[in-house]
Amino acid sequence: MKRLFSILATAGLFVAGTNTVSAKVVAAAAILQDAAPAAEKGFTQVLKEQFIQGGAGFMGIVLLCLILGLAVAIERIIYLNLATTNTTKLKQQVEDALASGGIEAAKEVCRNTKGPVASIYYQGLERAGDSIESAEKAVVAYGGVQMGQLEKNVSWLSLFIAVAPMLGFMGTVIGMIQAFQKIAAVGNLSASLIAGDIQVALLTTVFGLITAIILQIFYNYIIAKIDSIVNDMEDSSITLIDMLADHKK
């Protein structure tokens, strides 16, 4: 009988130990399942969560600055790429047309070519019948018009670059004010009490700076593209006046 009780007690302890181990294994598996989605979060999901935590007020305005800035930047990039022409080829075609068919043939070449350089050439050729001075004035005047077209809406892009980080800093200041107000109301300093407000404050600054950095890259590219086109316009204008002077001889 004692041996039977010993066997039963041993079996009971074995079963209890097995159940304990199984429970630990199940608990560990549950923890791993809960941790897996957090580890599988991509950059986009994390960015979305951080954006929501930053608050809809300032974060929404910063996002609006980014969207509008990107719209302006994309429109300008498309326009400037379409405005870029092979000025060396155009100069040669206009020169050949002047030599073979005169002013009208050169104007026809300019009409069939897109871009500000061709438009300036056309305006200069329109006044070439009067005098070289008239053609030069027309080229200078229309060059200013074309430059204004190239720089259209670029000031809005610079505005968004300046406003986005300012909005982020304003959100930071407001978040810190709210944190200190909570400290004053409670009467003691607790990290958990102000952590949320400080986090929101810093997130607005981060997203504001990210927006400004992205738009600044596009802005620099656009300015460099405009400078390149303007240099081609100035060089081509001088060449046109020289060609007209040679044609008058």
Side-chain angles (χ1 to χ4, degrees):
M1 183 63 69
K2 289 182 179 180
R3 182 177 296 177
L4 179 61
F5 281 129
S6 299
I7 294 172
L8 291 175
T10 303
L13 290 174
F14 178 77
V15 172
T18 303
N19 291 336
T20 303
V21 172
S22 299
K24 290 181 178 179
V25 171
V26 171
I31 293 173
L32 290 175
Q33 287 179 349
D34 292 338
E40 292 174 358
K41 288 182 180 179
F43 175 76
T44 306
Q45 183 65 26
V46 173
L47 193 66
K48 187 191 299 183
E49 291 178 357
Q50 296 295 324
F51 181 84
I52 295 172
Q53 290 178 6
F58 285 98
M59 298 294 275
I61 301 175
V62 171
L63 179 62
L64 183 62
C65 289
L66 177 60
I67 294 173
L68 294 177
L70 288 176
V72 172
I74 292 171
E75 185 272 333
R76 283 292 89 190
I77 289 172
I78 294 173
Y79 179 85
L80 293 174
N81 285 327
L82 292 175
T84 303
T85 55
N86 188 345
T87 55
T88 303
K89 181 180 178 182
L90 178 62
K91 292 174 189 176
Q92 189 62 46
Q93 289 177 343
V94 171
E95 188 175 4
D96 294 341
L98 279 173
S100 60
I103 299 295
E104 292 300 323
K107 286 166 63 176
E108 186 64 26
V109 171
C110 296
R111 271 195 294 264
N112 296 330
T113 306
K114 295 181 180 180
V117 176
S119 298
I120 291 173
Y121 269 30
Y122 185 84
Q123 294 298 321
L125 292 169
E126 276 281 313
R127 305 297 188 278
D130 301 333
S131 64
I132 299 297
E133 289 76 14
S134 298
E136 186 175 359
K137 289 179 180 178
V139 166
V140 172
Y142 202 71
V145 174
Q146 289 297 317
M147 189 179 298
Q149 291 293 327
L150 295 175
E151 296 176 348
K152 184 180 178 182
N153 294 330
V154 176
S155 59
W156 286 104
L157 189 58
S158 61
L159 174 65
F160 295 138
I161 292 172
V163 167
M166 288 182 183
L167 290 171
F169 293 145
M170 185 180 294
T172 299
V173 172
I174 292 176
M176 297 302 293
I177 291 173
Q178 292 175 349
F180 283 112
Q181 285 177 343
K182 286 185 178 180
I183 294 174
V186 175
N188 61 348
L189 179 61
S190 175
S192 60
L193 180 66
I194 62 175
D197 292 325
I198 294 177
Q199 181 183 14
V200 170
L202 296 177
L203 285 174
T204 55
T205 300
V206 168
F207 277 90
L209 292 174
I210 290 174
T211 299
I213 291 170
I214 294 172
L215 296 181
Q216 185 68 52
I217 294 172
F218 283 102
Y219 178 82
N220 288 351
Y221 173 80
I222 291 170
I223 293 299
K225 193 73 173 177
I226 291 174
D227 289 341
S228 176
I229 295 174
V230 170
N231 289 333
D232 287 341
M233 288 165 52
E234 293 175 349
D235 182 61
S236 300
S237 299
I238 297 172
T239 304
L240 175 64
I241 300 302
D242 292 339
M243 286 190 294
L244 290 176
D246 294 338
H247 181 70
K248 288 284 186 178
K249 293 179 181 179

